[in-house]
Amino acid sequence: MWWLFSIAWIVLIVVGLVEGPRYDYRAYMKQWARVLAGGNPWLDDPGNVYGIGHQVMAVVFLVHPLAPKLLYILSSFGTFLVMFAAQRRDIAVGLGTFVLLFATPFFVILTPMYGVEDALVTFLTLFAVDLRIRQGRIVSPALLLAAAVLTKVYPLALLPFIATDRGVISFRFVGVFVAATCLGLLASVAIWGPAALGIVPFALVREGKMLSIFWFLSQSALSPIAHSPLARALIVWNSAVVAAVMALLYALHFFGKMRALPGTVVAILGLLAFYKVGNPQYFLCSASLLIYYLTVDRDRGTLADRHLLGAAGAYLLVLNLFQVWYQVSGGSVRFPEVRAFVGLPAFITAIALMWLILSRELPERPASLSSKP
């Protein structure tokens, strides 16, 4: 089986290198060149929403312009290896996972072809989840999650869910994460000044995009409130909406004594369902964590739950169809009605998944099940 994996990975690496700079990778290159020239990555580029983890990739970029892209592709391989180990190297489950990660348009277009940095963020986040939840470690997963957050901010929302298992909070894990993150931020400020701290406020004032329900409500002809003051207010005040949703989900997680893994999956699904910036690359993280949950938790019947599998399949189908459409339509900008519509099915399928996972976890469970990790 490993020969098959190796051949597929070599093909994907070749595809990535032949495709060259695509999508956001072009902006990455400009930002890294600016860093190498001694510029300030945030003052000189107010649209730079990436943390110090992204900026230090300039060192890799110095080796070769496509070296970071190669690292991102390798990160997707790492994501699979983490899953395969957690799946206890089950051949059938591993092959199914391999097909989902390396033979579907959503993953293939975003990682080998586009070279999005979210492939690295997804690997770091998933590896942190695996080390903390499945293996019970403290320091290494906290450092990995801190590295992910210092690259892109959104995994920060998962911290309380990863740290809380069956109502018990690992304060040691939180403490190591906070310490590592603060050290990273201090390094950013020491090198480039306080402009490094502006990425979070900027993320809060961004406009709605593509796979967001709020972009559908604001722009789609099918929305009853399109172009209305209410639709605009939902985008302007989206940070408050997201904060309220995440607080509600954590309350369910904590007081319902949910296990950390399903709670974390619900959290990433909820975060992306209600966040106004629906960039497809963010969904690499939710899709990967969902696949991890379904395959690693199969002893609890996840792969035998037809409703759960159906909802997961619908969620992944929406992401794949959108990514194909985005690719063949040149970014879908020529078809704004389609670009505005996709937030609706993405939202519906995410909510269905959240409901089904919560329904499995929140009711009283037999002692034999609740004692499993």
Side-chain angles (χ1 to χ4, degrees):
M1 185 177 66
W2 286 106
W3 65 268
L4 175 63
F5 293 170
S6 299
I7 292 173
W9 286 339
I10 291 171
V11 170
L12 292 174
I13 289 172
V14 171
V15 168
L17 297 179
V18 170
E19 285 290 326
R22 296 281 299 272
Y23 193 59
D24 284 356
Y25 196 84
R26 295 167 180 163
Y28 299 164
M29 294 175 69
K30 293 178 182 178
Q31 291 158 357
W32 293 326
R34 188 176 296 113
V35 170
L36 293 174
N40 188 301
W42 297 284
L43 287 180
D44 297 338
D45 181 7
N48 187 344
V49 295
Y50 309 110
I52 188 174
H54 171 76
Q55 315 312 326
V56 299
M57 291 300 295
V59 177
V60 183
F61 176 70
L62 187 61
V63 175
H64 188 279
L66 293 180
K69 185 177 186 181
L70 176 60
L71 177 61
Y72 300 154
I73 296 172
L74 294 175
S75 295
S76 68
F77 302 167
T79 295
F80 169 75
L81 293 175
V82 171
M83 289 190 189
F84 192 49
Q87 294 159 357
R88 302 188 297 278
R89 299 182 180 274
D90 184 287
I91 301 299
V93 175
L95 283 173
T97 302
F98 189 87
V99 169
L100 286 174
L101 294 182
F102 303 114
T104 54
F106 176 70
F107 288 96
V108 171
I109 292 173
L110 284 173
T111 304
M113 291 182 64
Y114 289 178
V116 295
E117 194 166 53
D118 298 76
L120 173 61
V121 174
T122 294
F123 167 67
L124 293 171
T125 304
L126 184 73
F127 199 8
V129 167
D130 183 72
L131 290 174
R132 174 71 204 117
I133 297 174
R134 188 174 69 89
Q135 301 186 36
R137 301 189 188 180
I138 298 293
V139 176
S140 53
L143 296 178
L144 287 168
L145 186 62
V149 171
L150 288 169
T151 303
K152 284 201 168 183
V153 177
Y154 61 86
L156 178 62
L158 304 183
L159 172 64
F161 299 87
I162 298 173
T164 307
D165 185 64
R166 298 180 176 92
V168 178
I169 302 173
S170 174
F171 290 103
R172 288 180 59 204
F173 172 77
V174 174
V176 174
F177 168 84
V178 171
T181 304
C182 288
L183 286 175
L185 293 175
L186 286 173
S188 300
V189 173
I191 299 170
W192 292 295
L197 304 178
I199 58 175
V200 174
F202 180 80
L204 299 179
V205 300
R206 299 175 73 185
E207 289 298 318
K209 290 188 179 181
M210 293 180 280
L211 290 166
S212 167
I213 185 61
F214 297 103
W215 192 238
F216 165 81
L217 292 173
S218 174
Q219 300 295 320
S220 176
L222 298 178
S223 168
I225 61 172
H227 308 291
S228 69
L230 175 58
R232 182 60 191 165
L234 288 173
I235 289 181
V236 171
W237 293 99
N238 178 252
S239 57
V241 174
V242 171
V245 169
M246 299 310 291
L248 174 61
L249 290 178
Y250 185 68
L252 291 172
H253 180 83
F254 181 80
F255 293 108
K257 299 188 182 302
M258 288 180 62
R259 294 179 300 119
L261 177 56
T264 300
V265 175
V266 169
I268 189 64
L269 290 170
L271 173 68
L272 296 181
F274 286 92
Y275 184 39
K276 63 184 174 182
V277 185
N279 287 329
Q281 59 265 32
Y282 298 165
F283 290 78
L284 283 174
C285 194
S286 63
S288 297
L289 282 171
L290 175 62
I291 294 169
Y292 178 91
Y293 163 66
L294 292 174
T295 56
V296 173
D297 236 20
R298 63 186 185 278
D299 288 347
R300 294 173 176 272
T302 51
L303 295 182
D305 189 329
R306 290 182 296 175
H307 296 294
L308 181 61
L309 284 182
Y315 184 74
L316 295 174
L317 179 63
V318 169
L319 297 179
N320 277 279
L321 289 177
F322 170 75
Q323 203 58 56
V324 170
W325 174 256
Y326 188 93
Q327 175 69 15
V328 301
S329 65
S332 77
V333 292
R334 291 179 288 124
F335 305 92
E337 66 279 5
V338 176
R339 191 181 179 97
F341 171 74
V342 293
L344 180 61
F347 180 79
I348 292 173
T349 52
I351 294 300
L353 269 172
M354 293 166 63
W355 174 262
L356 289 169
I357 295 172
L358 288 170
S359 298
R360 289 174 57 87
E361 290 297 316
L362 290 178
E364 289 293 325
R365 292 155 292 177
S368 60
L369 287 182
S370 61
S371 62
K372 294 183 179 181

